[in-house]
Amino acid sequence: MELFSPLKLKSLDPHNIPEVLDTWFDQNERLMPWRETRDPYRIWLSEIILQQTRVAQGTPYYLAFINQFPTIEKLANAPEDEVLKLWQGLGYYSRARNLHFAAKQVMMEFSGEFPNQYSSILKLKGVGPYTASAIASIAFGEKRAAVDGNVIRVISRLFGISEDTNQSVTQNTIQKLADELIKDSNPGRHNQAMMEFGAMQCVPKNPNCQNCPLSEYCIALQNQWVDQIPLKVKKLKRRSRYFHYFIIQDDSNVWLHRRSENDIWNGLYQFPLIESSSNELNLPDAVFSILGSLSVEMIKSNKAKKHVLSHQDIYATFHHIKVKCLPESSFISSKLNEVHTFALPRLIDRYLESNDF
Ligand code: SF4
């Protein structure tokens, strides 16, 4: 599928982008020890170390690993403690454990030869599509675009992709565009050029657009979208909350309270509420905090029910409390049969409906 054609690029052919990029890379490539080799073991090691780690921090670790474990066999045969000790300070220790495990995999499942195809490299523990593409293209010349965060940024700006890059459909589009840009000749160098361009030129904040060799191709620049692309919509963490409602009534009236906090349901009416950290509550203490020493005729609690909001799960427990006569208080006193005339959160409304209140 040809993806370039529908995009409105100022009459410039995006197929020229790789050439421009390669020239830029020839002039701007940073020297790194793993760039001097095509040894898949060393390339793999560098890629694992550089996940979530800056080049400056990762380089001494790379050199120490190569020094201590010059071959994958030496790494596989080392005790795990030795590997973890050498990794100390880099964080994300699962990377070190996976590295060690994958070295053993190579020795046992691939007869000590590092796998030489994307599909088999992907079988190694701790190796995902990006890392497998990088190793396959750099070490074995396989034509496969390696798409990391840098490449996502470059491609989405160049092609004006304004959709959320955390969505898999957007990631697929970016992968296809990256695949179209990759060349038959030296795909590994092209991948490195793309990543380096993202790391040095098309950086997240204040990219150097004024001196960018790709500025004429760049849809984000033409439309002044550079600081808005790539769009990453953060997933909001769901929050669990535990609401204990107290339906405090006498024969004809019940107490209500109007929510005024900067929170959900602001301005709506509810029964007196105590929010706790779980479904458990010290009921006598809770009742005392609302009613003081007023004598209570009956207490009945229902089981907590879950109510799902967009970013919150509310676990609501209703406690029915009957008193002889509701005293004066700061709560609003409502006739029992008029509660439904107040603006109520759906959760309370439903509860009243299902309990014939
Ligand atoms: S013009 Fe700016 S945003 Fe576009 S590719 Fe170049 S550096 Fe990135």
Side-chain angles (χ1 to χ4, degrees), residues 72 76-77 100-113 124:
I72 197 159
N77 290 337
H100 191 222
F101 187 96
K104 289 174 190 276
Q105 261 184 298
V106 171
M107 297 314 296
M108 290 192 304
E109 294 172 29
F110 297 94
S111 315
E113 286 291 317
L124 299 179

Side-chain angles (χ1 to χ4, degrees), residues 39-262:
D39 177 351
Y41 166 57
R42 292 179 178 221
I43 292 162
W44 165 64
L45 186 60
S46 70
E47 289 293 343
I48 301 296
I49 287 175
L50 293 179
Q51 288 168 4
Q52 291 129 341
T53 301
R54 287 174 294 106
V55 169
Q57 192 196 0
T59 302
Y61 284 88
Y62 169 83
L63 295 172
F65 264 82
I66 290 299
N67 186 42
Q68 196 150 329
F69 310 118
T71 63
I72 197 159
E73 187 178 3
K74 287 222 158 63
L75 175 60
N77 290 337
E80 188 179 86
D81 280 354
E82 192 182 336
V83 178
L84 292 175
K85 181 71 191 153
L86 204 56
W87 194 269
Q88 195 174 300
L90 259 188
Y92 300 100
Y93 283 80
S94 59
R95 287 185 292 168
R97 279 188 285 270
N98 289 344
L99 192 78
H100 191 222
F101 187 96
K104 289 174 190 276
Q105 261 184 298
V106 171
M107 297 314 296
M108 290 192 304
E109 294 172 29
F110 297 94
S111 315
E113 286 291 317
F114 203 96
N116 61 3
Q117 279 182 341
Y118 171 82
S119 54
S120 42
I121 298 170
L122 204 50
K123 290 183 182 148
L124 299 179
K125 194 157 188 197
V127 171
Y130 157 74
T131 306
S133 302
I135 300 166
S137 63
I138 298 168
F140 303 108
E142 190 170 328
K143 191 181 165 195
R144 199 168 275 276
V147 177
D148 68 350
N150 285 322
V151 176
I152 288 176
R153 186 169 57 256
V154 173
I155 298 268
S156 54
R157 283 177 175 166
L158 278 176
F159 292 92
I161 295 170
S162 54
E163 286 81 22
D164 177 13
T165 54
N166 283 334
Q167 297 288 329
S168 55
V169 57
T170 315
Q171 288 168 5
N172 289 342
T173 303
I174 291 170
Q175 180 72 53
K176 281 177 186 153
L177 286 163
D179 287 338
E180 277 200 47
L181 285 179
I182 201 161
K183 300 190 304 180
D184 289 327
S185 63
N186 211 343
R189 187 157 176 83
H190 168 82
N191 277 337
Q192 286 176 309
M194 283 289 283
M195 290 185 255
E196 191 82 328
F197 189 80
M200 293 182 66
Q201 176 86 29
C202 193
V203 293
K205 285 205 173 121
N206 304 319
N208 189 2
C209 301
Q210 281 184 333
N211 296 306
C212 175
L214 292 175
S215 59
E216 289 180 289
Y217 296 88
C218 182
I219 292 184
L221 184 69
Q222 289 165 25
N223 291 284
Q224 298 178 355
W225 296 336
V226 172
D227 56 353
Q228 294 151 46
I229 291 181
L231 176 71
K232 290 180 195 163
V233 178
K234 280 197 186 130
K235 277 190 194 149
L236 285 177
K237 229 176 124 196
R238 291 198 72 73
R239 181 177 166 206
S240 294
R241 301 176 73 178
Y242 303 89
F243 285 4
H244 292 264
Y245 288 111
F246 290 84
I247 304 180
I248 302 172
Q249 64 170 100
D250 56 21
D251 283 336
S252 48
N253 293 296
V254 65
W255 276 346
L256 294 178
H257 162 72
R258 186 170 187 266
R259 288 179 72 87
S260 57
E261 305 83 8
N262 183 19

